[in-house]
Amino acid sequence: MSAARLSPTGLPPASPAPARPVVIAPSILSADFSKLGEEVRAIDEAGADWIHLDVMDGHFVPNITFGPDVIRSLRRHSAKVFDAHLMIAPADPYLANFADAGCDIITVHAEAGPHLDRSLQTIRNLGKKAGVSIVPSTPESALEYVLDRLDLILVMTVNPGFGGQAFIPAMVEKVRRLKALIGDRPIDIEIDGGVTPETAPLVLAAGANALVAGSAVFRGGPGEYAARIAALRPAV
Ligand code: DX5
Ligand code: ZN
């Protein structure tokens, strides 16, 4: 190796962290709730990488969806990663229930309780990947001191509670700053809210690698799921 390629420390320059694979995670919030098992099978077969599970409590967010028992019953319909997004406060008393129900990634909201560091340790101690979500008004700096406890950061690009809302453009800059803050750490950046074939390239270019999509996948019914998932992937 020539001297010109050595860094000022005399060591070879560190190689950049490998790019994280792009993941598409359809949210069953927009599925037909009367046949959730079938819907999960359909998005699995249509090429979903993860299954995104939006848990809402009517307290942290103004809507109510489902809990661990429903997730447990869906587990036998797909072997894909179950990506649980807990929009509940408090979350800590229920973390073991969600782990036991078969969630692989458990994401809590930074705004949902005072002891985020403890919540993340609890999730990892349960043997699950730990995620944190931040609502649009929370700055990325809120995560600065928990980065080493995290496997995933979920950036809300709408205010949580409902599917079908419009993407908030100011969040693209937040993703860019978050990517810089994370550095080489092996953390997924997931985007949730208003993801479409038009907004997906913006957040991928800013540093995100996981895309949640509810209405953009489920609109049109099962016959269209594969094409709608494919339309969110970057062109090769
Ligand atoms: C909103 C949920 C989202 C929602 C996204 O609180 O966290 O996962 O399903 O829906 P769309 O993709 O329709 O914006
Ligand atoms: Zn979500």
Side-chain angles (χ1 to χ4, degrees), residues 44-70:
D44 178 322
E45 286 162 16
D49 299 299
W50 297 351
I51 312 295
H52 187 79
L53 303 159
D54 284 309
V55 178
M56 303 186 185
D57 65 354
H59 167 71
F60 179 68
V61 287
N63 196 2
I64 301 176
T65 56
F66 49 81
D69 291 342
V70 169

PDB file of all heavy atoms in Angstrom, residues 44-70:
ATOM      1  N   ASP A  44     -46.949 -10.648   2.254  1.00  0.00           N
ATOM      2  CA  ASP A  44     -45.760 -11.506   2.318  1.00  0.00           C
ATOM      3  C   ASP A  44     -45.453 -12.032   0.914  1.00  0.00           C
ATOM      4  O   ASP A  44     -44.351 -11.858   0.378  1.00  0.00           O
ATOM      5  CB  ASP A  44     -46.041 -12.648   3.317  1.00  0.00           C
ATOM      6  CG  ASP A  44     -44.886 -13.647   3.427  1.00  0.00           C
ATOM      7  OD1 ASP A  44     -44.254 -13.961   2.400  1.00  0.00           O
ATOM      8  OD2 ASP A  44     -44.637 -14.155   4.543  1.00  0.00           O
ATOM      9  N   GLU A  45     -46.465 -12.629   0.270  1.00  0.00           N
ATOM     10  CA  GLU A  45     -46.268 -13.210  -1.066  1.00  0.00           C
ATOM     11  C   GLU A  45     -45.988 -12.142  -2.117  1.00  0.00           C
ATOM     12  O   GLU A  45     -45.341 -12.407  -3.129  1.00  0.00           O
ATOM     13  CB  GLU A  45     -47.501 -14.042  -1.466  1.00  0.00           C
ATOM     14  CG  GLU A  45     -47.552 -15.367  -0.708  1.00  0.00           C
ATOM     15  CD  GLU A  45     -48.938 -16.023  -0.727  1.00  0.00           C
ATOM     16  OE1 GLU A  45     -49.772 -15.628  -1.571  1.00  0.00           O
ATOM     17  OE2 GLU A  45     -49.177 -16.911   0.128  1.00  0.00           O
ATOM     18  N   ALA A  46     -46.447 -10.926  -1.871  1.00  0.00           N
ATOM     19  CA  ALA A  46     -46.249  -9.829  -2.842  1.00  0.00           C
ATOM     20  C   ALA A  46     -44.863  -9.203  -2.723  1.00  0.00           C
ATOM     21  O   ALA A  46     -44.545  -8.278  -3.466  1.00  0.00           O
ATOM     22  CB  ALA A  46     -47.327  -8.772  -2.651  1.00  0.00           C
ATOM     23  N   GLY A  47     -44.049  -9.675  -1.763  1.00  0.00           N
ATOM     24  CA  GLY A  47     -42.669  -9.192  -1.709  1.00  0.00           C
ATOM     25  C   GLY A  47     -42.341  -8.249  -0.565  1.00  0.00           C
ATOM     26  O   GLY A  47     -41.260  -7.643  -0.561  1.00  0.00           O
ATOM     27  N   ALA A  48     -43.240  -8.123   0.417  1.00  0.00           N
ATOM     28  CA  ALA A  48     -42.909  -7.289   1.580  1.00  0.00           C
ATOM     29  C   ALA A  48     -41.680  -7.861   2.275  1.00  0.00           C
ATOM     30  O   ALA A  48     -41.520  -9.079   2.369  1.00  0.00           O
ATOM     31  CB  ALA A  48     -44.087  -7.273   2.560  1.00  0.00           C
ATOM     32  N   ASP A  49     -40.793  -6.971   2.758  1.00  0.00           N
ATOM     33  CA  ASP A  49     -39.631  -7.446   3.519  1.00  0.00           C
ATOM     34  C   ASP A  49     -40.003  -7.613   4.987  1.00  0.00           C
ATOM     35  O   ASP A  49     -39.645  -8.597   5.620  1.00  0.00           O
ATOM     36  CB  ASP A  49     -38.488  -6.439   3.390  1.00  0.00           C
ATOM     37  CG  ASP A  49     -38.053  -6.271   1.945  1.00  0.00           C
ATOM     38  OD1 ASP A  49     -37.622  -7.281   1.357  1.00  0.00           O
ATOM     39  OD2 ASP A  49     -38.176  -5.158   1.409  1.00  0.00           O
ATOM     40  N   TRP A  50     -40.666  -6.612   5.534  1.00  0.00           N
ATOM     41  CA  TRP A  50     -41.123  -6.642   6.921  1.00  0.00           C
ATOM     42  C   TRP A  50     -42.636  -6.404   6.927  1.00  0.00           C
ATOM     43  O   TRP A  50     -43.188  -5.841   5.986  1.00  0.00           O
ATOM     44  CB  TRP A  50     -40.481  -5.514   7.749  1.00  0.00           C
ATOM     45  CG  TRP A  50     -38.994  -5.558   7.903  1.00  0.00           C
ATOM     46  CD1 TRP A  50     -38.140  -6.567   7.539  1.00  0.00           C
ATOM     47  CD2 TRP A  50     -38.170  -4.510   8.468  1.00  0.00           C
ATOM     48  NE1 TRP A  50     -36.847  -6.219   7.846  1.00  0.00           N
ATOM     49  CE2 TRP A  50     -36.830  -4.965   8.412  1.00  0.00           C
ATOM     50  CE3 TRP A  50     -38.436  -3.253   9.015  1.00  0.00           C
ATOM     51  CZ2 TRP A  50     -35.760  -4.200   8.883  1.00  0.00           C
ATOM     52  CZ3 TRP A  50     -37.384  -2.481   9.471  1.00  0.00           C
ATOM     53  CH2 TRP A  50     -36.058  -2.952   9.413  1.00  0.00           C
ATOM     54  N   ILE A  51     -43.280  -6.821   8.018  1.00  0.00           N
ATOM     55  CA  ILE A  51     -44.695  -6.514   8.220  1.00  0.00           C
ATOM     56  C   ILE A  51     -44.758  -5.463   9.338  1.00  0.00           C
ATOM     57  O   ILE A  51     -44.320  -5.730  10.468  1.00  0.00           O
ATOM     58  CB  ILE A  51     -45.491  -7.775   8.664  1.00  0.00           C
ATOM     59  CG1 ILE A  51     -45.180  -8.993   7.759  1.00  0.00           C
ATOM     60  CG2 ILE A  51     -46.986  -7.458   8.734  1.00  0.00           C
ATOM     61  CD1 ILE A  51     -45.588  -8.888   6.331  1.00  0.00           C
ATOM     62  N   HIS A  52     -45.271  -4.277   9.010  1.00  0.00           N
ATOM     63  CA  HIS A  52     -45.310  -3.171   9.979  1.00  0.00           C
ATOM     64  C   HIS A  52     -46.641  -3.200  10.729  1.00  0.00           C
ATOM     65  O   HIS A  52     -47.714  -3.218  10.122  1.00  0.00           O
ATOM     66  CB  HIS A  52     -45.139  -1.850   9.234  1.00  0.00           C
ATOM     67  CG  HIS A  52     -44.995  -0.666  10.127  1.00  0.00           C
ATOM     68  ND1 HIS A  52     -43.808  -0.340  10.767  1.00  0.00           N
ATOM     69  CD2 HIS A  52     -45.884   0.298  10.493  1.00  0.00           C
ATOM     70  CE1 HIS A  52     -43.971   0.770  11.475  1.00  0.00           C
ATOM     71  NE2 HIS A  52     -45.231   1.175  11.332  1.00  0.00           N
ATOM     72  N   LEU A  53     -46.541  -3.194  12.062  1.00  0.00           N
ATOM     73  CA  LEU A  53     -47.716  -3.377  12.924  1.00  0.00           C
ATOM     74  C   LEU A  53     -47.908  -2.114  13.771  1.00  0.00           C
ATOM     75  O   LEU A  53     -47.114  -1.839  14.688  1.00  0.00           O
ATOM     76  CB  LEU A  53     -47.488  -4.597  13.829  1.00  0.00           C
ATOM     77  CG  LEU A  53     -47.194  -5.899  13.061  1.00  0.00           C
ATOM     78  CD1 LEU A  53     -46.487  -6.910  13.951  1.00  0.00           C
ATOM     79  CD2 LEU A  53     -48.477  -6.486  12.493  1.00  0.00           C
ATOM     80  N   ASP A  54     -48.934  -1.344  13.468  1.00  0.00           N
ATOM     81  CA  ASP A  54     -49.179  -0.072  14.148  1.00  0.00           C
ATOM     82  C   ASP A  54     -50.106  -0.285  15.340  1.00  0.00           C
ATOM     83  O   ASP A  54     -51.314  -0.487  15.177  1.00  0.00           O
ATOM     84  CB  ASP A  54     -49.803   0.927  13.171  1.00  0.00           C
ATOM     85  CG  ASP A  54     -48.772   1.490  12.211  1.00  0.00           C
ATOM     86  OD1 ASP A  54     -47.720   1.963  12.681  1.00  0.00           O
ATOM     87  OD2 ASP A  54     -49.013   1.436  10.987  1.00  0.00           O
ATOM     88  N   VAL A  55     -49.532  -0.197  16.528  1.00  0.00           N
ATOM     89  CA  VAL A  55     -50.294  -0.414  17.766  1.00  0.00           C
ATOM     90  C   VAL A  55     -50.638   0.951  18.358  1.00  0.00           C
ATOM     91  O   VAL A  55     -49.740   1.750  18.656  1.00  0.00           O
ATOM     92  CB  VAL A  55     -49.455  -1.242  18.761  1.00  0.00           C
ATOM     93  CG1 VAL A  55     -50.217  -1.425  20.077  1.00  0.00           C
ATOM     94  CG2 VAL A  55     -49.089  -2.598  18.156  1.00  0.00           C
ATOM     95  N   MET A  56     -51.925   1.224  18.502  1.00  0.00           N
ATOM     96  CA  MET A  56     -52.386   2.544  18.983  1.00  0.00           C
ATOM     97  C   MET A  56     -53.333   2.365  20.163  1.00  0.00           C
ATOM     98  O   MET A  56     -54.165   1.449  20.160  1.00  0.00           O
ATOM     99  CB  MET A  56     -53.110   3.278  17.859  1.00  0.00           C
ATOM    100  CG  MET A  56     -52.272   3.450  16.608  1.00  0.00           C
ATOM    101  SD  MET A  56     -53.138   4.476  15.411  1.00  0.00           S
ATOM    102  CE  MET A  56     -52.029   4.384  14.004  1.00  0.00           C
ATOM    103  N   ASP A  57     -53.199   3.285  21.130  1.00  0.00           N
ATOM    104  CA  ASP A  57     -53.900   3.099  22.408  1.00  0.00           C
ATOM    105  C   ASP A  57     -55.024   4.104  22.689  1.00  0.00           C
ATOM    106  O   ASP A  57     -55.638   4.073  23.760  1.00  0.00           O
ATOM    107  CB  ASP A  57     -52.893   3.151  23.570  1.00  0.00           C
ATOM    108  CG  ASP A  57     -52.240   4.531  23.720  1.00  0.00           C
ATOM    109  OD1 ASP A  57     -52.475   5.417  22.873  1.00  0.00           O
ATOM    110  OD2 ASP A  57     -51.489   4.711  24.700  1.00  0.00           O
ATOM    111  N   GLY A  58     -55.277   5.053  21.770  1.00  0.00           N
ATOM    112  CA  GLY A  58     -56.321   6.042  22.035  1.00  0.00           C
ATOM    113  C   GLY A  58     -55.951   7.035  23.115  1.00  0.00           C
ATOM    114  O   GLY A  58     -56.811   7.780  23.609  1.00  0.00           O
ATOM    115  N   HIS A  59     -54.676   7.063  23.487  1.00  0.00           N
ATOM    116  CA  HIS A  59     -54.205   7.936  24.571  1.00  0.00           C
ATOM    117  C   HIS A  59     -52.962   8.691  24.088  1.00  0.00           C
ATOM    118  O   HIS A  59     -52.969   9.916  24.022  1.00  0.00           O
ATOM    119  CB  HIS A  59     -53.893   7.068  25.794  1.00  0.00           C
ATOM    120  CG  HIS A  59     -53.121   7.760  26.869  1.00  0.00           C
ATOM    121  ND1 HIS A  59     -53.665   8.729  27.665  1.00  0.00           N
ATOM    122  CD2 HIS A  59     -51.845   7.607  27.275  1.00  0.00           C
ATOM    123  CE1 HIS A  59     -52.737   9.165  28.517  1.00  0.00           C
ATOM    124  NE2 HIS A  59     -51.627   8.510  28.295  1.00  0.00           N
ATOM    125  N   PHE A  60     -51.944   7.951  23.673  1.00  0.00           N
ATOM    126  CA  PHE A  60     -50.768   8.596  23.084  1.00  0.00           C
ATOM    127  C   PHE A  60     -51.108   9.150  21.704  1.00  0.00           C
ATOM    128  O   PHE A  60     -50.582  10.189  21.291  1.00  0.00           O
ATOM    129  CB  PHE A  60     -49.609   7.598  22.992  1.00  0.00           C
ATOM    130  CG  PHE A  60     -48.368   8.187  22.374  1.00  0.00           C
ATOM    131  CD1 PHE A  60     -47.644   9.170  23.030  1.00  0.00           C
ATOM    132  CD2 PHE A  60     -47.939   7.777  21.117  1.00  0.00           C
ATOM    133  CE1 PHE A  60     -46.512   9.742  22.444  1.00  0.00           C
ATOM    134  CE2 PHE A  60     -46.809   8.339  20.526  1.00  0.00           C
ATOM    135  CZ  PHE A  60     -46.098   9.328  21.200  1.00  0.00           C
ATOM    136  N   VAL A  61     -51.967   8.441  20.988  1.00  0.00           N
ATOM    137  CA  VAL A  61     -52.468   8.911  19.683  1.00  0.00           C
ATOM    138  C   VAL A  61     -54.003   8.791  19.680  1.00  0.00           C
ATOM    139  O   VAL A  61     -54.554   7.950  20.393  1.00  0.00           O
ATOM    140  CB  VAL A  61     -51.888   8.088  18.496  1.00  0.00           C
ATOM    141  CG1 VAL A  61     -50.433   8.418  18.264  1.00  0.00           C
ATOM    142  CG2 VAL A  61     -52.086   6.590  18.712  1.00  0.00           C
ATOM    143  N   PRO A  62     -54.664   9.610  18.867  1.00  0.00           N
ATOM    144  CA  PRO A  62     -56.136   9.628  18.894  1.00  0.00           C
ATOM    145  C   PRO A  62     -56.767   8.532  18.034  1.00  0.00           C
ATOM    146  O   PRO A  62     -57.631   8.810  17.194  1.00  0.00           O
ATOM    147  CB  PRO A  62     -56.470  11.029  18.363  1.00  0.00           C
ATOM    148  CG  PRO A  62     -55.312  11.374  17.470  1.00  0.00           C
ATOM    149  CD  PRO A  62     -54.103  10.680  18.030  1.00  0.00           C
ATOM    150  N   ASN A  63     -56.326   7.299  18.217  1.00  0.00           N
ATOM    151  CA  ASN A  63     -56.907   6.189  17.464  1.00  0.00           C
ATOM    152  C   ASN A  63     -56.560   4.911  18.227  1.00  0.00           C
ATOM    153  O   ASN A  63     -55.584   4.880  18.992  1.00  0.00           O
ATOM    154  CB  ASN A  63     -56.321   6.143  16.045  1.00  0.00           C
ATOM    155  CG  ASN A  63     -57.135   5.292  15.093  1.00  0.00           C
ATOM    156  OD1 ASN A  63     -58.175   4.738  15.453  1.00  0.00           O
ATOM    157  ND2 ASN A  63     -56.660   5.187  13.861  1.00  0.00           N
ATOM    158  N   ILE A  64     -57.328   3.857  18.020  1.00  0.00           N
ATOM    159  CA  ILE A  64     -57.109   2.570  18.702  1.00  0.00           C
ATOM    160  C   ILE A  64     -57.045   1.483  17.631  1.00  0.00           C
ATOM    161  O   ILE A  64     -57.882   1.464  16.721  1.00  0.00           O
ATOM    162  CB  ILE A  64     -58.269   2.260  19.679  1.00  0.00           C
ATOM    163  CG1 ILE A  64     -58.388   3.370  20.730  1.00  0.00           C
ATOM    164  CG2 ILE A  64     -58.057   0.903  20.353  1.00  0.00           C
ATOM    165  CD1 ILE A  64     -59.586   3.185  21.680  1.00  0.00           C
ATOM    166  N   THR A  65     -56.034   0.611  17.718  1.00  0.00           N
ATOM    167  CA  THR A  65     -55.970  -0.459  16.713  1.00  0.00           C
ATOM    168  C   THR A  65     -56.018  -1.839  17.366  1.00  0.00           C
ATOM    169  O   THR A  65     -57.106  -2.336  17.677  1.00  0.00           O
ATOM    170  CB  THR A  65     -54.711  -0.316  15.823  1.00  0.00           C
ATOM    171  OG1 THR A  65     -53.546  -0.283  16.653  1.00  0.00           O
ATOM    172  CG2 THR A  65     -54.796   0.913  14.950  1.00  0.00           C
ATOM    173  N   PHE A  66     -54.869  -2.447  17.601  1.00  0.00           N
ATOM    174  CA  PHE A  66     -54.836  -3.823  18.109  1.00  0.00           C
ATOM    175  C   PHE A  66     -53.627  -3.985  19.023  1.00  0.00           C
ATOM    176  O   PHE A  66     -52.760  -3.116  19.080  1.00  0.00           O
ATOM    177  CB  PHE A  66     -54.767  -4.824  16.943  1.00  0.00           C
ATOM    178  CG  PHE A  66     -53.702  -4.485  15.921  1.00  0.00           C
ATOM    179  CD1 PHE A  66     -52.368  -4.813  16.131  1.00  0.00           C
ATOM    180  CD2 PHE A  66     -54.044  -3.819  14.743  1.00  0.00           C
ATOM    181  CE1 PHE A  66     -51.384  -4.490  15.201  1.00  0.00           C
ATOM    182  CE2 PHE A  66     -53.054  -3.480  13.801  1.00  0.00           C
ATOM    183  CZ  PHE A  66     -51.732  -3.817  14.042  1.00  0.00           C
ATOM    184  N   GLY A  67     -53.578  -5.118  19.707  1.00  0.00           N
ATOM    185  CA  GLY A  67     -52.504  -5.354  20.674  1.00  0.00           C
ATOM    186  C   GLY A  67     -51.828  -6.694  20.464  1.00  0.00           C
ATOM    187  O   GLY A  67     -51.926  -7.304  19.388  1.00  0.00           O
ATOM    188  N   PRO A  68     -51.142  -7.184  21.506  1.00  0.00           N
ATOM    189  CA  PRO A  68     -50.317  -8.390  21.361  1.00  0.00           C
ATOM    190  C   PRO A  68     -51.095  -9.639  20.951  1.00  0.00           C
ATOM    191  O   PRO A  68     -50.558 -10.478  20.220  1.00  0.00           O
ATOM    192  CB  PRO A  68     -49.707  -8.596  22.754  1.00  0.00           C
ATOM    193  CG  PRO A  68     -50.008  -7.391  23.542  1.00  0.00           C
ATOM    194  CD  PRO A  68     -51.023  -6.566  22.828  1.00  0.00           C
ATOM    195  N   ASP A  69     -52.338  -9.780  21.380  1.00  0.00           N
ATOM    196  CA  ASP A  69     -53.067 -11.011  21.037  1.00  0.00           C
ATOM    197  C   ASP A  69     -53.332 -11.113  19.538  1.00  0.00           C
ATOM    198  O   ASP A  69     -53.254 -12.196  18.946  1.00  0.00           O
ATOM    199  CB  ASP A  69     -54.379 -11.094  21.820  1.00  0.00           C
ATOM    200  CG  ASP A  69     -54.128 -11.326  23.301  1.00  0.00           C
ATOM    201  OD1 ASP A  69     -53.003 -11.758  23.648  1.00  0.00           O
ATOM    202  OD2 ASP A  69     -55.034 -11.050  24.107  1.00  0.00           O
ATOM    203  N   VAL A  70     -53.646  -9.983  18.931  1.00  0.00           N
ATOM    204  CA  VAL A  70     -53.864  -9.985  17.480  1.00  0.00           C
ATOM    205  C   VAL A  70     -52.543 -10.292  16.765  1.00  0.00           C
ATOM    206  O   VAL A  70     -52.497 -11.096  15.826  1.00  0.00           O
ATOM    207  CB  VAL A  70     -54.456  -8.637  17.008  1.00  0.00           C
ATOM    208  CG1 VAL A  70     -54.441  -8.529  15.485  1.00  0.00           C
ATOM    209  CG2 VAL A  70     -55.881  -8.472  17.543  1.00  0.00           C
TER     210      VAL A  70
END
